[in-house]
Amino acid sequence: MNPAYYRVRLLCDLFWILLLPVLVLFLILSQTQYRLGFLSLPAHVAFIFLWGTTKDLYRRSMQEKEARLLGARLIPCVVGKWPGNIDVLLDMMRAFKSSYVLDIISMDQEHTKFVLATGFRHFWRGPAQKERMETLLGEGIFNRDDDHRATARPFFARERILDFEIFEQYCSRTLSIISSLSSGDQPCEVQDLYARFTLDAASEFLFGRNLDTLSASLPVPECTTMGPKGSATGDTWGSFAQAFEMAQQNITSRGRIGYLWPLFEFFSDKNERHVKVIHQWLDPLVQQALEAKRRADSAGVMSPIAEKTFLQHLADTTNDPVAIRDQLLNMLLASRDTTAGVLTYLTYFMAIHPDVTARLRAEVLDHCGPTKPGTFENFRNMKYMRAVINETLRLFPPVPLNVRETRSSPCVFPPSDPSYLQPDSRPLYMPAKTPIVYLPLLTQRNPALWGDDADAFDPERWIQPERIAKFTANPAMFSPFSAGPRICLGQNYAYNQMSYFLVRLLQKFDRFTLAQEFQPEGSLPPIEWKDRSGRQRFEKVWPSAALTLYVKGGMWVRFHKASSP
């Protein structure tokens, strides 16, 4: 069924859950000519409950049989006090309001590796996830399986000097804004600014046209309110950003509610109005590209892929404007939100670890001097910069969790990693058509894999040979760009963009300090975090996650200009 038809799916499910048992009871009563009278309503309710319970028992019995045949055991289940574990769901929803990111979930690294790589053929994105994302992401690369990556792959399968020209242009504009604020001793809301930087650079890269969000009004200290993720501005750019972020938040809420989320949106899809705003930005660009393609075809002009934008490349592969727009929107999500998030957390770590900043800046000056831009060769030789980026990606991967679903056949997981003692050594049985959440953020902070200091920010773990050897022997313990057949196509682009920006930033500034006094109300870590375990004990920002990781309420920072190289 088309994922957009979630209402039809819900009605079909309700028929099997509610109406079919009512029909069966009606037929039974008709055959026996028995009349229930005033007991009719409670009898029907009881029969629906009995029907569902019997189905669940039968399904579990069949799964136990399959598991035994495969030499496996069922996955342990949380059992709440209310039917359907509704009490557990409500407790989780309450916990999300003040919890540290993903602190109520756990995940096994060996199982993650199986889902992404070694057992990849057993899994796909599945109808449930596509249904939640369909209004926003449609037929794009992040909402489809199998051959939908083939169109994009050739465009990202190379490094281009042109990318660096784009980086330089938008780094210069971004740093000009920061320099202006710094000269007036004004803080900057970096999460918002980095989102503009990455979006403008991405739009140039993808469309050949700048969306020019860096020219829009910036958040103002003590005046700007908190938006769905970070800061909220009231201009045209603000409307796009808010729509983009609210749509992601809605998708996340649907995932938390689970199977029955369509009940809450049966009469109105919460993402329709947000997506309408987004399409108003993208549709004119798509139409211009298709018109340019028609003119080029008429003139017999064919450009090599190295000279095309991604939009032109898409227009050459299809005339469907919706398919083109969906692919563009998916790429915008990847190139804006993920890279902006990592740059935000890089700045956070440079602010709270001035020793790391000093060493990183020394390496930048040693390889690039005070004015020269970074090059491919520079980045290959700047080992400490790569270590800092990787350590940031380890602690705060831009996509902290993801979902897959088993296909039409069950499978068996490999043995677990050493995180937890397992009293039963049999592997876990995974039923068919069952969703599974895997969590890079937790895997990458697992003490069993990374040592007792797994929660600490320590770039040295990426330089010391004995610590690198552990990762080399088990690459799946670090997967911020995913792994296996669906590994991120833009991984090199992201590394290059972040490295280029850091070079330019550290050539101008040598210190960064958090301006927490300007954080909007409700965006600082709750006091109760200090009594908990893990990073939340000493975190100075509130990490949160929708489709991607972000800092709740944005992050205000003061930049301090370097007095000398």
Side-chain angles (χ1 to χ4, degrees):
M1 183 179 294
N2 188 316
Y5 300 154
Y6 70 84
R7 296 176 180 88
V8 176
R9 191 273 299 169
L10 178 63
L11 290 174
C12 291
D13 289 349
L14 290 177
F15 171 81
W16 291 105
I17 294 170
L18 301 177
L19 296 184
L20 181 60
V22 169
L23 180 60
V24 170
L25 180 59
F26 171 78
L27 293 174
I28 293 173
L29 294 174
S30 298
Q31 291 296 319
T32 60
Q33 296 184 347
Y34 187 80
R35 297 293 181 265
L36 293 173
F38 68 89
L39 294 176
S40 178
L41 179 59
H44 280 81
V45 172
F47 192 79
I48 290 172
F49 180 78
L50 178 63
W51 180 275
T53 302
T54 303
K55 280 178 57 180
D56 286 343
L57 290 173
Y58 175 76
R59 180 168 57 244
R60 185 171 181 85
S61 174
M62 295 303 296
Q63 290 175 355
E64 288 175 344
K65 181 179 178 180
E66 280 187 328
R68 284 195 300 272
L69 290 173
L70 294 170
R73 60 191 172 94
L74 296 183
I75 296 174
C77 297
V78 174
V79 180
K81 298 178 181 178
W82 296 1
N85 280 349
I86 294 176
D87 56 325
V88 176
L89 173 63
L90 293 176
D91 287 343
M92 290 179 64
M93 297 298 287
R94 283 191 292 268
F96 282 127
K97 296 178 181 179
S98 63
S99 68
Y100 188 76
V101 61
L102 303 186
D103 68 350
I104 59 175
I105 310 172
S106 63
M107 185 58 190
D108 186 292
Q109 178 258 333
E110 289 297 326
H111 298 166
T112 298
K113 180 166 66 176
F114 184 72
V115 171
L116 295 179
T118 56
F120 178 79
R121 64 185 177 85
H122 294 290
F123 299 89
W124 64 329
R125 301 198 73 82
Q129 182 174 205
K130 292 172 187 174
E131 193 177 77
R132 292 194 298 270
M133 298 183 177
E134 187 69 14
T135 309
L136 176 64
L137 301 182
E139 297 182 9
I141 191 172
F142 298 120
N143 204 37
R144 291 295 185 266
D145 294 285
D146 305 323
D147 62 345
H148 280 76
R149 294 163 59 87
T151 300
R153 186 175 287 107
F155 191 78
F156 289 92
R158 66 202 187 283
E159 292 181 324
R160 308 185 309 171
I161 299 300
L162 175 61
D163 299 347
F164 279 37
E165 295 173 1
I166 293 173
F167 297 160
E168 175 64 24
Q169 178 182 352
Y170 295 103
C171 279
S172 296
R173 293 191 63 186
T174 304
L175 293 176
S176 175
I177 292 171
I178 294 174
S179 295
S180 177
L181 292 170
S182 174
S183 297
D185 194 32
Q186 291 293 308
C188 174
E189 206 282 78
V190 296
Q191 182 168 259
D192 173 85
L193 185 65
Y194 293 160
R196 296 165 189 255
F197 160 62
T198 53
L199 185 63
D200 283 0
S203 61
E204 186 81 35
F205 171 77
L206 296 172
F207 314 149
R209 174 178 170 179
N210 171 21
L211 292 181
D212 201 24
T213 63
L214 286 167
S215 297
S217 58
L218 296 171
V220 178
E222 297 184 303
C223 297
T224 302
T225 58
M226 187 161 59
K229 287 187 174 181
S231 297
T233 54
D235 55 3
T236 305
W237 153 246
S239 65
F240 174 87
Q242 181 163 345
F244 205 49
E245 292 169 1
M246 276 304 305
Q248 295 178 51
Q249 294 283 29
N250 287 339
I251 290 170
T252 301
S253 296
R254 291 169 176 177
R256 290 172 178 171
I257 293 170
Y259 177 76
L260 291 177
W261 73 263
L263 279 177
F264 301 91
E265 298 186 41
F266 191 84
F267 298 104
S268 176
D269 183 334
K270 289 183 179 179
N271 271 349
E272 282 184 350
R273 63 188 179 93
H274 302 308
V275 168
K276 184 177 179 180
V277 173
I278 297 168
H279 290 175
Q280 288 172 351
W281 282 65
L282 297 183
D283 284 344
L285 300 175
V286 173
Q287 293 302 324
Q288 290 168 17
L290 289 172
E291 180 59 35
K293 177 195 173 185
R294 284 191 285 269
R295 290 197 301 267
D297 288 346
S298 299
V301 176
M302 179 65 70
S303 301
I305 191 171
E307 297 178 8
K308 296 177 184 176
T309 66
F310 185 61
L311 178 56
Q312 291 168 332
H313 172 63
L314 289 175
D316 284 345
T317 60
T318 179
N319 290 318
D320 184 351
V322 174
I324 294 173
R325 184 187 64 204
D326 288 347
Q327 290 285 20
L328 285 178
L329 184 54
N330 280 246
M331 288 300 176
L332 273 183
L333 173 65
S335 53
R336 172 197 180 242
D337 287 35
T338 57
T339 307
V342 179
L343 288 175
T344 299
Y345 282 103
L346 278 165
T347 304
Y348 170 59
F349 282 129
M350 289 193 294
I352 64 177
H353 295 282
D355 55 325
V356 170
T357 305
R359 182 173 172 182
L360 186 55
R361 184 168 188 269
E363 184 182 64
V364 167
L365 297 178
D366 184 48
H367 285 82
C368 303
T371 58
K372 292 182 180 179
T375 64
F376 291 123
E377 189 65 25
N378 291 148
F379 299 158
R380 293 187 183 100
N381 293 328
M382 296 168 72
K383 306 299 184 186
Y384 192 68
M385 175 175 285
R386 187 59 168 251
V388 171
I389 293 174
N390 278 346
E391 185 68 347
T392 303
L393 285 166
R394 183 184 72 82
L395 288 171
F396 292 108
V399 182
L401 80 163
N402 213 325
V403 182
R404 292 290 185 270
E405 185 175 307
T406 43
R407 293 182 182 260
S408 55
S409 299
C411 62
V412 175
F413 280 127
S416 298
D417 68 27
S419 304
Y420 310 100
L421 292 175
Q422 300 291 336
D424 189 333
S425 61
R426 289 178 299 167
L428 294 175
Y429 159 86
M430 186 71 184
K433 299 180 181 179
T434 302
I436 179 171
V437 179
Y438 63 93
L439 305 127
L441 184 142
L442 297 183
T443 297
Q444 294 173 185
R445 297 185 185 188
N446 188 342
L449 302 173
W450 296 92
D452 293 337
D453 66 342
D455 283 322
F457 178 77
D458 182 12
E460 291 295 323
R461 73 176 79 243
W462 297 98
I463 296 175
Q464 296 168 351
E466 66 277 10
R467 300 171 84 177
I468 292 177
K470 190 172 182 180
F471 161 66
T472 304
N474 182 17
M477 62 193 278
F478 178 70
S479 57
F481 294 98
S482 193
R486 289 190 67 92
I487 193 168
C488 176
L489 298 177
Q491 177 175 342
N492 289 334
Y493 176 89
Y495 269 121
N496 288 335
Q497 185 179 30
M498 291 185 288
S499 300
Y500 198 99
F501 183 85
L502 283 176
V503 167
R504 284 314 203 190
L505 179 69
L506 290 164
Q507 285 173 331
K508 286 181 172 288
F509 301 93
D510 60 2
R511 284 193 308 118
F512 312 91
T513 54
L514 299 179
Q516 292 180 292
E517 66 272 23
F518 296 109
Q519 289 291 138
E521 184 179 355
S523 67
L524 289 175
I527 295 176
E528 58 264 31
W529 283 12
K530 296 183 183 297
D531 299 323
R532 298 178 182 175
S533 59
R535 283 197 60 87
Q536 56 191 311
R537 288 178 300 170
F538 49 82
E539 211 75 272
K540 298 183 183 300
V541 297
W542 191 329
S544 296
L547 293 184
T548 58
L549 200 67
Y550 62 96
V551 175
K552 186 175 181 178
M555 191 174 80
W556 290 90
V557 175
R558 281 194 170 89
F559 292 77
H560 304 273
K561 287 186 177 180
S563 56
S564 61

